[in-house]
Amino acid sequence: MALNNTYDAGEAYDVCAARSLRQETAVGAGAQVLLLAVLGTTIGLGTAGWLTGLVFAIASWAVLSRALHRSRPAVFGPANRVTLGRTTLVGSVTALVADSFRGAPPVCLLVGLTAVALILDGVDGRVARRTGTTTALGARFDMEVDAFLILVLSVYVARDLGPWVLLIGGMRYVFVAAARVWPWLTAALPPSTARKTVAALQGVLLLLAGANLLPRAADAGVVAVALALLVWSFGRDVRWLWWRSRVPAVPVTATRELVAR
């Protein structure tokens, strides 16, 4: 009887936790639709913007819900809430960029939403560390939101500077696709401040180029610097992963002998 009670309590806890997680993702999707409605009434968001924003809201909700179902965390966590809020901003930026193909978007609004999303990028990780809620899911969630924002900004800037800017937004996805062909690319990389700095600079430099504050030639130079830094960062990591894949694994017995000496 005691075992049955324990099982029932644990099952009830799992059900409550799953319900709480579904509510968190539903709130995020609802906030996305609400913000799209605000944009629609204030700036007259077009059909392309509406459809793109809604597709983003549904897709992000579905992907996040599936990830939560597979990882089954006990709670959503404050850091993930920050990232979810940033996802809502990224969805709105995506809608504005999609709408920009029919006419000039409100640059100040686009820049403002993007700037807040970039600032919050440095908040969620800090919140996770301070609250002791750092998880692999949270790190992946944060990384995917960052990557998609860079892709969207690349599309926006490429309208004026040319399709070569898309290399910035597409490089990470090319790397992921290449990892399916060469599994050695999936190995864990050592922590790197340089890698984090280059990744953070991509959004800042693309935002600067898209803000229409500099001459076109200067914007091209800014984006070229961003691309050069990204190529250097990816090239360094790929070279390290390739070198690591060529190094034979050291047997446990040999490792113990080295330690003993």
Side-chain angles (χ1 to χ4, degrees), residues 131-217:
T131 57
T133 55
T134 303
T135 62
L137 173 63
R140 182 65 182 272
F141 185 21
D142 177 62
M143 181 175 62
E144 295 299 339
V145 174
D146 291 343
F148 193 80
L149 177 58
I150 297 303
L151 176 62
V152 171
L153 291 177
S154 298
V155 171
Y156 178 67
V157 177
R159 293 169 59 255
D160 295 328
L161 299 182
W164 63 274
V165 183
L166 298 176
L167 293 172
I168 295 177
M171 197 171 301
R172 191 255 171 183
Y173 296 99
V174 170
F175 180 85
V176 172
R180 295 183 177 272
V181 180
W182 299 293
W184 51 268
L185 288 171
T186 61
L189 286 164
S192 171
T193 302
R195 185 189 309 119
K196 293 179 180 180
T197 302
V198 170
L201 282 174
Q202 299 306 304
V204 175
L205 295 178
L206 285 172
L207 181 60
L208 177 60
N212 296 332
L213 297 176
L214 303 174
R216 191 173 186 275

Side-chain angles (χ1 to χ4, degrees), residues 8-57:
D8 292 342
E11 185 178 10
Y13 173 77
D14 290 340
V15 171
C16 291
R19 184 182 298 114
S20 176
L21 294 175
R22 287 196 298 268
Q23 290 174 350
E24 296 277 5
T25 56
V27 168
Q32 180 69 82
V33 175
L34 179 61
L35 189 51
L36 288 175
V38 172
L39 293 177
T41 56
T42 56
I43 67 170
L45 196 64
T47 303
W50 264 107
L51 289 177
T52 303
L54 290 175
V55 169
F56 178 89

Side-chain angles (χ1 to χ4, degrees), residues 86-134:
R86 193 155 57 88
T87 304
T88 302
L89 296 176
V90 172
S92 300
V93 172
T94 303
L96 290 174
V97 171
D99 208 46
S100 69
F101 286 91
R102 73 177 180 93
V107 178
C108 291
L109 179 60
L110 190 148
V111 169
L113 291 174
T114 305
V116 174
L118 292 174
I119 291 171
L120 290 178
D121 184 26
V123 174
D124 47 11
R126 186 173 300 177
V127 170
R129 289 187 293 271
R130 288 190 174 183
T131 57
T133 55
T134 303

